[in-house]
Amino acid sequence: MPNSSGFNIIAVDGGAATGKSSTSRAIAERLNLMHVDTGAHYRTLTYALLDAGADSETPEAIPALLASLALDTTIKGRSALLSINGHVPADADIRSPQVNANVSKFAAIESVREFLFNYQRSQAQVARDHAEFTGLIMEGRDIGSVIFPNADFRFFLFADEATRAARRAKDGQTDSIAERDKLDSQRKAAPLVCPEGAIRVDTGPLPLEGVVEHICGIITA
Ligand code: DC
């Protein structure tokens, strides 16, 4: 861990099903980091907005709906989970076909991203406030480019499409990965990009353990 303060921020970005979550969780476990899945933030918010009757086709109505949502953090093991109005929705609810079909559309709306920006940045302090963590590992699409451009380490994961589709099928999920990636990459607000200077990791040919070993080796060198 080269950071002399003893607290490291690690950004992990990449497209859908490139292995970000499994990899980030395993690294958090090994290096005792607080883990934050920002995809789950967008999913949780999409779930709450759909529940409040929001439609991504009418983004002008969204700020008023967001104003009624209070964000907070619940720590579960090494994961920091987003709660909205005191409630963390079940994983099955934020990974439903309905949320899968809508999340990229809501994530492309400027007011939605602004709403999560400060919250996501504030998670570094949440991790610091918990002495048991040696740092923060945050995964998403814009962590190394927008949320923590000065992170101590920035990784960009990628894999070929067949590998990614097979991973989602193994998880038993209905998900149009290519379509979501297209929306995520082409949107104006914080598009999915490999941040300049980030370390690219091809997760296609390696088993999870291999990817974790490779990244931990870089962090602890
Ligand atoms: O990581 P995931 O597949 O669960 O993410 C769900 C969606 O959330 C993804 O299609 C795009 C959006 N997202 C985003 O726009 N920015 C992030 N930092 C993380 C996710």
Side-chain angles (χ1 to χ4, degrees), residues 146-215:
V146 174
I147 306 297
F148 289 118
N150 297 320
D152 298 288
F153 296 93
R154 295 179 305 154
F155 295 96
F156 186 82
L157 272 45
F158 63 100
D160 61 277
E161 205 171 308
T163 304
R164 297 160 67 199
R167 283 178 185 158
R168 274 295 193 261
K170 200 169 148 225
D171 291 345
Q173 287 196 32
T174 318
D175 197 354
S176 40
I177 295 166
E179 202 178 314
R180 278 207 294 132
D181 267 4
K182 200 167 150 207
L183 282 172
D184 296 342
S185 306
Q186 292 178 350
R187 68 180 177 221
K188 268 199 280 173
L192 165 65
V193 285
C194 175
E196 213 185 308
I199 300 165
R200 289 172 60 85
V201 181
D202 183 356
T203 69
L206 288 171
L208 173 63
E209 259 318 295
V211 178
V212 171
E213 194 67 45
H214 175 64
I215 294 179

Side-chain angles (χ1 to χ4, degrees), residues 5-218:
S5 75
F7 184 91
N8 282 277
I9 295 185
I10 296 149
V12 179
D13 288 303
T18 51
K20 294 187 305 295
S21 286
S22 332
T23 304
S24 301
R25 269 179 231 285
I27 294 170
E29 203 61 43
R30 272 226 207 162
L31 304 180
N32 215 0
L33 304 162
M34 187 177 93
H35 168 242
V36 178
D37 172 0
T38 62
H41 294 169
Y42 285 95
R43 290 172 174 279
T44 300
L45 195 51
T46 297
Y47 176 73
L49 285 169
L50 288 171
D51 193 48
D55 183 343
S56 60
E57 298 296 316
T58 51
E60 61 281 3
I62 292 195
L65 295 172
L66 291 174
S68 67
L69 306 178
L71 307 184
D72 209 343
T73 302
T74 298
I75 307 277
K76 197 171 164 198
R78 285 183 175 62
S79 287
L81 308 174
L82 169 66
S83 70
I84 297 190
N85 295 341
H87 176 64
V88 179
D91 222 44
D93 287 333
I94 66 166
R95 296 178 196 284
S96 67
Q98 199 200 7
V99 170
N100 280 343
N102 281 283
V103 64
S104 290
K105 295 177 195 163
F106 281 103
I109 297 171
E110 204 101 34
S111 61
V112 168
R113 304 203 76 83
E114 274 168 21
F115 188 65
L116 286 175
F117 178 81
N118 287 328
Y119 172 77
Q120 289 176 345
R121 286 188 63 92
S122 76
Q123 297 309 289
Q125 193 55 47
V126 173
R128 285 179 199 276
D129 289 344
H130 285 76
E132 69 269 29
F133 297 126
T134 62
L136 165 72
I137 185 162
M138 184 176 280
E139 46 152 318
R141 304 291 190 290
D142 61 343
I143 311 308
S145 56
V146 174
I147 306 297
F148 289 118
N150 297 320
D152 298 288
F153 296 93
R154 295 179 305 154
F155 295 96
F156 186 82
L157 272 45
F158 63 100
D160 61 277
E161 205 171 308
T163 304
R164 297 160 67 199
R167 283 178 185 158
R168 274 295 193 261
K170 200 169 148 225
D171 291 345
Q173 287 196 32
T174 318
D175 197 354
S176 40
I177 295 166
E179 202 178 314
R180 278 207 294 132
D181 267 4
K182 200 167 150 207
L183 282 172
D184 296 342
S185 306
Q186 292 178 350
R187 68 180 177 221
K188 268 199 280 173
L192 165 65
V193 285
C194 175
E196 213 185 308
I199 300 165
R200 289 172 60 85
V201 181
D202 183 356
T203 69
L206 288 171
L208 173 63
E209 259 318 295
V211 178
V212 171
E213 194 67 45
H214 175 64
I215 294 179
C216 285
I218 294 171

